[in-house]
Amino acid sequence: MDGLSDVESFYGRFVKSLQPAWTVIGPVVGADGVCRLQKLSEGAGDSCSCLPLIPLKKFLLPPVELLWRQSEESPTAAPAPAKIAVIDVAPCDLYALAYLDQTYVEDSLYLGRRRHLLLVGRECSPLSQCHCSPQAVPPAYDLFFSGDKVWCGSERGEKVLQDFSGVVKSRGDEVLPKEYWAGQAELPTKIAARFLQSVDNPLWAEEASRCLSCGACSAVCPTCACYDVVDAVSLSGEITRQRVWDNCFFRDHGLVAGGHNFRPERTSRLRFRFEHKYLGFGEQRGMISCVGCGRCQQVCPVGINLAQILVQLPLAEEE
Ligand code: SF4
Ligand code: SF4
């Protein structure tokens, strides 16, 4: 391809070719100035390179999901998952998907939707809020576009590209270079040492005293995936079990049977969130659960910034 217009035209035609076999979703800025993932009617032409406020997780883990229903009427079969292609996905969100794929590896509802999700990544332009950097684990993607290059990250990606262009490009040929990956560079072990030295640091209480427990930071986080299970009985006798998004900033998140609450104060909830984002499962999964997208600081009404807290924690002494 010779120039930018050729690249855009190739990409635009590629995205259009996905319709109607796939429902094509991309980031679009609304009249209110907010970037959202929404269905595109005109292929890539509708989409822009903004970072959607509510990330991809909403397609894989709906905010409210029926798990089970018992009623006198005959049960209705669950609808088959829709085939969704999400385009213009930024590297940090592809990384977040790699994290969720590990977290929900045994969840049949997640996996059913994941199998019907085509991930088309694209090189992004970092915003002032971004603090991502290379990591040791590759992101999840089917295809990734950057300038006049395209990488295949799955057999499905290879097939879709081949069907469109006739180009056969194998996953083994080239690996997506590290500059396109997101994630945190500082090792979880180093952060853990700083955290353990700082558990009683007054910084936690100072920051938590401003927190409103609104949960916005967790709702927009691409790797936050806690849920609660809620049973309900209606007057008609129908019983339902649903899973609904939960939030570690809510007081009841740490409440267990018998009335004990592991995290009744905001300070402990803020510290727990930090621990979960920067340390939880880091060594097991090869990545931490903060991909540096900066959404949490963008939405926090009182300006609490986990990355800034990390910077302020005293450095651990080298052994
Ligand atoms: S903790 Fe904040 S910066 Fe990190 S992935 Fe979640 S929303 Fe993004
Ligand atoms: S968005 Fe800010 S105020 Fe709201 S729960 Fe998160 S840290 Fe607290």
Side-chain angles (χ1 to χ4, degrees), residues 58-223:
K58 68 177 182 179
F59 296 115
L60 295 163
L61 300 162
V64 179
E65 175 164 36
L66 182 68
L67 296 180
W68 177 82
R69 166 187 281 138
Q70 179 178 309
S71 74
E72 290 183 356
E73 293 166 20
S74 41
T76 46
K83 280 179 71 178
I84 294 176
V86 187
I87 67 161
D88 289 346
V89 187
C92 59
D93 279 354
L94 296 175
Y95 217 119
L97 255 285
Y99 180 86
L100 289 181
D101 283 351
Q102 294 190 61
T103 310
Y104 280 84
V105 68
E106 293 180 350
D107 188 290
S108 60
L109 294 168
Y110 177 94
L111 293 175
R113 295 189 193 102
R114 186 69 177 84
R115 277 193 285 275
H116 291 80
L117 184 70
L118 183 78
L119 285 172
V120 182
R122 209 170 183 204
E123 188 177 13
C124 66
S125 303
L127 308 166
S128 57
Q129 71 200 37
C130 298
H131 50 94
C132 57
S133 55
Q135 178 73 294
V137 182
Y141 65 96
D142 294 297
L143 290 167
F144 189 90
F145 289 78
S146 172
D148 61 356
K149 294 196 176 72
V150 54
W151 286 267
C152 297
S154 69
E155 279 178 22
R156 181 171 47 190
E158 285 167 34
K159 179 160 188 334
V160 168
L161 185 67
Q162 193 179 340
D163 288 350
F164 169 65
S165 65
V167 174
V168 182
K169 207 164 169 35
S170 158
R171 272 181 296 159
D173 291 349
E174 259 181 298
V175 176
L176 187 62
K178 271 204 168 185
E179 63 258 32
Y180 299 115
W181 301 9
Q184 293 290 317
E186 191 170 353
L187 292 172
T189 42
K190 279 196 164 178
I191 303 175
R194 293 170 72 177
F195 178 73
L196 289 173
Q197 280 187 359
S198 313
V199 170
D200 298 321
N201 193 306
L203 180 66
W204 299 111
E206 281 164 28
E207 291 287 321
S209 68
R210 293 185 288 126
C211 175
L212 307 172
S213 279
C214 65
C217 51
S218 172
V220 299
C221 178
T223 60

Side-chain angles (χ1 to χ4, degrees), residues 131 217 220-223 273 277 289-297 306:
H131 50 94
C217 51
V220 299
C221 178
T223 60
R273 178 170 166 80
K277 291 287 106 182
S289 71
C290 175
V291 295
C293 68
R295 287 179 173 97
C296 53
Q297 60 220 67
L306 289 185

